[in-house]
Amino acid sequence: MQLSQIARYRDAAFQLPDVPSWLPPERHHDAAAIERHCNDLARAGLVGHFGNEDAAERFLARRLPLRAALCYPRTLDDRAAGLASLAVPTALADEAFRAPGVRDDPERAAVLRDRLLSVLDDVAPPAGFALGRLLYTALSRTTPRMPPAVARRYRQAHRETVECSLHEAAEGHDDTVLDFATYLGVRRTHHAAHRAAVLTEYAIGVDLTRELSESPALAAARDLAVDHLTLVDELFSFPEECRAPRSVSAVWVFVAHEGRTVQGAVDKLAGLVAAAEEDFAETCARVLHGPLGERGDVLLYLRELGHLMSGNLHHHRFVRGGEAACVPSPAPGTAPGVPRPASPA
């Protein structure tokens, strides 16, 4: 089945199933102040990017700095606002390739790619490039404070997302529906999940570059968190994307390659989210029983990967309903640990 043949399914009725989660959500203790600060910092640049205040306020209504406070609840206080300030410009940059006049114009998309990569190379953008100025300012507040290896990995993950966005814009008229493994590989980068995982290290003040390269179990835990972020984003973005012409989704992959109904494909995607959590728990146990199991920085990192997963899920589920404020802040002095499912009774 080709992507053009998906059109007959785009009006199908479906419901997002409940996604059970054992991962306990938290939010940063200063979340409200961080969100106000980041919104104030970004507002003028958003107006410059969109050309009007209404569009800027609609973008801010997505509450992306709050998502950062949910995904990185244990961020050290001296870097919490700076980390959260990345949320708006990085999302804006990722989505700029889908803007009218860019997605269908390869030359404009290539120019945007080059300008963003220049910013990632620490070149100050011109005053008229509002998106670039927002991103440059946020990067200037954060990357100089990262350990060099973490900063390199973060910028590289960001570059890969930019290149992926350009590729998707260039391939926008391809009628091929990829198989799931290939599709997931692309979407991991498209959803910037690798970039989000690197920020976990910066948030809590650790550098596990060497450990992640030498410990297959630790790298597997990180990769499962990346997959969880990607799958959750795929699931919760589907209601908005399903009726858009030529939109791509894991749901359409399952419809095209497995002959599932739309509801059946949505249910399978939700099941993969739950399975990723269970696999994450099992992989954390492997790390804990290995040579890194007694290291406090590793334990803290695994816990924060869990918060990254739960924060992203909680943001998608509840923020628009105003329930994120009910998520507890970390209790002072609580010890790092790895959340795991309760043992069966």
Side-chain angles (χ1 to χ4, degrees):
M1 184 183 296
Q2 301 296 99
L3 185 60
S4 56
Q5 297 174 291
I6 294 291
R8 66 179 184 269
Y9 297 97
R10 293 190 184 274
D11 292 325
F14 66 91
Q15 289 185 328
L16 292 184
D18 181 49
V19 181
S21 175
W22 54 267
L23 292 165
E26 289 185 6
R27 62 179 172 86
H28 193 274
H29 68 88
D30 209 17
I34 289 171
E35 185 176 16
R36 287 194 301 271
H37 169 78
C38 292
N39 287 349
D40 291 343
L41 193 68
R43 186 170 280 108
L46 287 172
V47 172
H49 176 76
F50 289 115
N52 65 83
E53 293 183 2
D54 288 345
E57 292 302 323
R58 284 196 298 272
F59 196 88
L60 291 176
R62 293 163 60 178
R63 306 191 70 182
L64 296 175
L66 178 59
R67 177 182 179 273
L70 292 167
C71 289
Y72 309 103
R74 306 270 176 142
T75 303
L76 300 175
D77 286 346
D78 65 352
R79 62 194 63 188
L83 184 151
S85 73
L86 286 164
V88 167
T90 53
L92 199 64
D94 297 343
E95 296 171 14
F97 290 90
R98 300 198 294 272
V102 176
R103 185 179 182 93
D104 297 323
D105 188 333
E107 289 188 8
R108 286 189 64 184
V111 168
L112 176 61
R113 183 272 311 271
D114 292 343
R115 296 175 81 184
L116 289 172
L117 291 180
S118 181
V119 171
L120 290 169
D121 287 335
D122 206 26
V123 177
F129 184 25
L131 166 56
R133 297 297 300 178
L134 278 171
L135 182 59
Y136 182 80
T137 298
L139 290 171
S140 297
R141 299 181 66 190
T142 50
T143 52
R145 305 188 62 187
M146 295 179 183
V150 174
R152 284 194 298 271
R153 287 163 49 218
Y154 178 77
R155 289 182 183 271
Q156 181 57 31
H158 210 319
R159 291 186 185 97
E160 290 170 359
T161 299
V162 170
E163 294 286 3
C164 181
S165 297
L166 174 68
H167 177 75
E168 289 203 346
E171 298 296 323
H173 297 291
D174 191 339
D175 207 31
T176 303
V177 179
L178 300 174
D179 64 86
F180 181 67
T182 304
Y183 177 82
L184 183 61
V186 172
R187 299 303 274 184
R188 288 186 187 106
T189 304
H190 174 86
H191 287 297
H194 290 290
R195 189 176 70 201
V198 176
L199 277 182
T200 298
E201 292 173 68
Y202 171 65
I204 57 178
V206 302
D207 178 1
L208 296 175
T209 302
R210 180 175 61 82
E211 289 81 358
L212 286 165
S213 68
E214 296 178 356
S215 169
L218 187 63
R222 184 267 321 273
D223 292 344
L224 284 164
V226 165
D227 281 355
H228 188 275
L229 262 67
T230 304
L231 294 167
V232 167
D233 287 353
E234 285 285 306
L235 179 64
F236 285 91
S237 65
F238 184 66
E240 293 184 5
E241 295 182 356
C242 65
R243 291 174 178 82
R246 305 197 62 79
S247 66
V248 293
S249 168
V251 173
W252 299 140
V253 172
F254 298 142
V255 169
H257 287 282
E258 300 181 9
R260 293 176 179 266
T261 64
V262 173
Q263 185 65 60
V266 169
D267 291 344
K268 175 170 181 174
L269 184 54
L272 290 175
V273 172
E277 280 200 12
E278 296 301 322
D279 290 344
F280 176 75
E282 293 175 3
T283 305
C284 286
R286 286 167 46 204
V287 175
L288 292 174
H289 287 93
L292 299 177
E294 298 299 322
R295 283 182 46 175
D297 56 348
V298 172
L299 294 175
L300 183 58
Y301 175 66
L302 292 174
R303 180 176 185 124
E304 290 311 286
L305 286 179
H307 287 143
L308 178 64
M309 296 159 64
S310 67
N312 185 53
L313 177 61
H314 195 79
H315 184 264
H316 276 294
R317 275 175 160 176
F318 301 125
V319 158
R320 291 182 183 178
E323 296 186 38
C326 298
V327 177
S329 300
T334 50
V338 181
R340 280 160 284 178
S343 301

